[in-house]
Amino acid sequence: VHSEIHEALTEIRVLANAARANIMQLHNTGVTAHMVHLKKFSTTHCSTERGYTSHAKILTDCLSSLYIPLYTEFLKDNPHPIEVSSLQEGYARDFLEGEGVEKIAILPLKSKEVYCGFVMIQWGSGFSPPKDFPTEFERLRDHIQFHILLEEKS
C-alpha cells in the first residue's frame, strides 16, 4: 500500500508539472470542532523533481501553530493553486518562500470523516500547473485517500 501511495503522489507531481508533492499526516492528539488534529504534522510521503530537496526530514513533528495558513487552506478543500505571497505573513509563508516555492495547492485527507492529513503540491520558478490540474488533483487525492484507508485496515 505504501508504494501505491507514493506512486500516486509522484503521478500528481508529474501531471502538475510541480517541484514537490508531499503528504502530511496530522498527529499527536487534540481534535478541534472542525475535526482537525491540531498539535503536529509530519511528512509521510514526498516526491520531488530532480534538483529539489525533499521536505521529508525537514517537515517532521512540526508544530501546527506555526503553519496555521496551511490548515486554513486545506480546510477550504480547494484544488486550485494559490500564490505563496498571498498567505498570511508568518513562519509558514517565510519557510515556503525560503525554499523557493511560489505556488501551492492543498487538499485535505480524511479517514472516517476525520481530517488525518493533507496533500500539498509546490511549484517553484519555472514550474506552472496545467489548466486541468484541479480535476486531476482531486482524482488522485481520492485515490491516495482510498489507499490510506486500506493501510489502516491492514
Side-chain angles (χ1 to χ4, degrees):
V1 172
H2 179 82
S3 61
E4 290 166 343
I5 292 171
H6 190 75
E7 285 176 26
L9 188 63
T10 298
E11 184 178 352
I12 289 172
R13 182 186 55 76
V14 171
L15 288 172
N17 187 36
R20 272 186 211 92
N22 298 324
I23 294 177
M24 310 297 197
Q25 179 183 7
L26 308 173
H27 58 87
N28 200 14
T29 70
V31 179
T32 69
H34 294 292
M35 299 308 288
V36 178
H37 294 272
L38 253 187
K39 289 201 175 176
K40 293 185 179 182
F41 70 87
S42 294
T43 302
T44 59
H45 299 79
C46 185
S47 176
T48 58
E49 178 63 43
R50 192 170 296 162
Y52 281 80
T53 57
S54 170
H55 284 164
K57 291 182 181 176
I58 298 169
L59 294 176
T60 300
D61 284 334
C62 298
L63 292 174
S64 299
S65 59
L66 296 175
Y67 293 88
I68 294 298
L70 300 184
Y71 280 71
T72 302
E73 289 305 317
F74 90 65
L75 288 171
K76 292 177 183 176
D77 202 0
N78 176 4
H80 296 275
I82 63 161
E83 299 288 332
V84 170
S85 61
S86 72
L87 293 174
Q88 176 185 352
E89 286 189 36
Y91 187 83
R93 180 172 153 183
D94 290 346
F95 171 77
L96 291 169
E97 289 177 340
E99 290 289 311
V101 180
E102 295 177 359
K103 292 180 184 176
I104 60 169
I106 300 177
L107 283 178
L109 295 169
K110 287 184 177 182
S111 173
K112 300 172 188 159
E113 296 306 310
V114 175
Y115 291 107
C116 63
F118 56 95
V119 181
M120 179 168 59
I121 311 302
Q122 302 174 13
W123 293 269
S125 178
F127 292 89
S128 60
K131 295 205 184 313
D132 65 344
F133 168 74
T135 303
E136 288 300 308
F137 189 21
E138 286 180 315
R139 180 183 68 80
L140 287 164
R141 181 270 309 261
D142 294 345
H143 183 72
I144 288 169
Q145 207 160 249
F146 171 76
H147 286 292
I148 288 171
L149 291 173
L150 286 180
E151 192 173 62
E152 288 176 355
K153 290 181 182 180
S154 59

